[in-house]
Amino acid sequence: MNKISFAVSFLLLAVYTSLAQKNKKEYTISDCITFFSEERVVKNSTGWAFWFIPADGIADTLSVKMSCVDKGIKTHEPHSHFEDELFYMVEGTSIIHLNGEEHVLNQGDAFYAPGNSFHNIRRVDDKPIRYLMFKREIRGKLPNPFLPGKKDYSMKDCLIPFDHSLYTQKDGRQEMWYLTKEMSAGGLNARLQIVSDSHPCKQDDYSGQEVFFILEGKAEVSINGEKRVIEALSSCYCFPNSKHSIRKVGGDILKFIVVRTK
């Protein structure tokens, strides 16, 4: 490479680096927090949906939505897609479908739908149901489905009932895994945490993205030194390499779900 070619290559590299830095989004904590609002639900023929993190939103491989079914029975027939999902039952009782198997899902239970599985949720009576969906997204076309860590999975592998006996103690808080790294082959995992003291909960040395979803109580969340107080049915997105923590404020307990994707 002669001197002129080297100079041109160096100049182009400098321009690309400058443009990348200019286009890089600097997020504040206000960008990361979403409060549920009935005025902002998207109504549909069976009820409504509310996006905490839309598919094309702040998180590059994660979307979070709450759905309500209070008309009809279900939002759609059993369907499949390459992305995998975790469902959490916020209110009511439902029937979940997975590749021909069905089971009851009660409030507090969770259900994992691996990529390419046929699945849906329907209500069992005329009482409304509300459930959260955490979906591992891929921008662009996914060439292969996200499959679980286990090959021959069945309903018993994907149904995660809420169970006090599954709690473990860690740093003064209770934990229960809804979806482990092993179940989702490391790509999507979720755990429930219940905190009764006001000490900050630092989420170990994880440097990827994660989201806190508050189920009960109030929390003070901190991201890179900025702090906000959020309540039940609120989410806080923690972007990669951010310094973040969460702690209980007021009340008896703080109950929240931590979801990670990669």
Side-chain angles (χ1 to χ4, degrees):
M1 181 183 290
N2 58 38
K3 292 183 178 179
I4 295 178
S5 298
F6 179 80
V8 170
S9 298
F10 181 81
L11 180 60
L12 288 173
L13 178 61
V15 170
Y16 290 148
T17 302
S18 176
L19 288 173
Q21 291 177 343
K22 185 179 293 186
N23 292 330
K24 185 179 179 181
K25 172 71 173 177
E26 295 295 332
Y27 295 114
T28 67
I29 197 168
S30 297
D31 299 316
C32 299
I33 291 174
T34 303
F35 299 93
F36 174 74
S37 170
E38 291 187 1
E39 288 73 28
R40 292 189 290 121
V41 302
V42 179
K43 295 185 178 181
N44 52 48
S45 60
T46 59
W48 51 259
F50 182 89
W51 288 96
F52 290 90
I53 301 178
D56 57 352
I58 191 172
D60 57 356
T61 58
L62 174 67
S63 63
V64 181
K65 179 178 71 170
M66 183 162 67
S67 294
C68 173
V69 179
D70 57 10
K71 303 179 185 68
I73 298 296
K74 55 199 172 189
T75 56
H76 46 65
E77 297 296 329
H79 67 293
S80 68
H81 41 72
F82 279 3
E83 298 86 0
D84 55 356
E85 299 170 318
L86 178 72
F87 297 91
Y88 174 85
M89 205 68 196
V90 176
E91 177 188 1
T93 301
S94 66
I95 298 292
I96 52 173
H97 176 102
L98 178 70
N99 292 339
E101 294 184 86
E102 294 191 336
H103 201 282
V104 173
L105 198 69
N106 295 305
Q107 182 174 333
D109 295 346
F111 163 64
Y112 176 55
N116 226 28
S117 64
F118 280 88
H119 59 276
N120 82 334
I121 294 181
R122 71 178 192 270
R123 60 179 180 161
V124 297
D125 50 34
D126 59 355
K127 296 179 181 178
I129 60 171
R130 286 191 297 164
Y131 56 90
L132 290 167
M133 180 204 72
F134 302 95
K135 185 175 183 179
R136 182 164 45 148
E137 299 281 358
I138 289 296
R139 303 214 172 153
K141 188 175 181 180
L142 188 65
N144 297 295
F146 286 135
L147 295 176
K150 183 174 181 177
K151 291 183 179 179
D152 300 321
Y153 63 89
S154 63
M155 176 67 77
K156 67 178 182 179
D157 301 309
C158 299
L159 176 68
I160 312 101
F162 176 74
D163 188 345
H164 287 281
S165 67
L166 298 179
Y167 281 164
T168 59
Q169 295 287 337
K170 181 179 180 181
D171 300 329
R173 63 184 185 268
Q174 294 178 311
E175 287 190 344
M176 179 189 141
W177 283 95
Y178 278 117
L179 187 58
T180 64
K181 296 177 182 178
E182 292 76 20
M183 182 59 194
S184 66
L188 174 67
N189 60 84
R191 67 188 187 276
L192 174 71
Q193 296 194 348
I194 299 177
V195 182
S196 56
D197 61 39
S198 58
H199 293 100
C201 302
K202 296 182 179 179
Q203 301 301 306
D204 52 53
D205 296 324
Y206 182 68
S207 60
Q209 67 175 2
E210 61 184 5
V211 62
F212 301 136
F213 192 93
I214 310 301
L215 297 170
E216 183 179 343
K218 290 184 180 181
E220 180 188 78
V221 291
S222 173
I223 301 179
N224 290 345
E226 291 188 280
K227 298 179 180 180
R228 293 287 189 279
V229 173
I230 60 177
E231 300 182 353
L233 300 186
S234 301
S235 68
C236 178
Y237 171 70
C238 305
F239 48 89
N241 299 310
S242 62
K243 294 181 179 180
H244 55 274
S245 65
I246 181 171
R247 74 178 185 91
K248 182 184 78 71
V249 292
D252 296 326
I253 65 167
L254 169 64
K255 186 176 179 181
F256 62 99
I257 296 177
V258 186
V259 177
R260 296 174 174 176
T261 62
K262 73 172 185 177

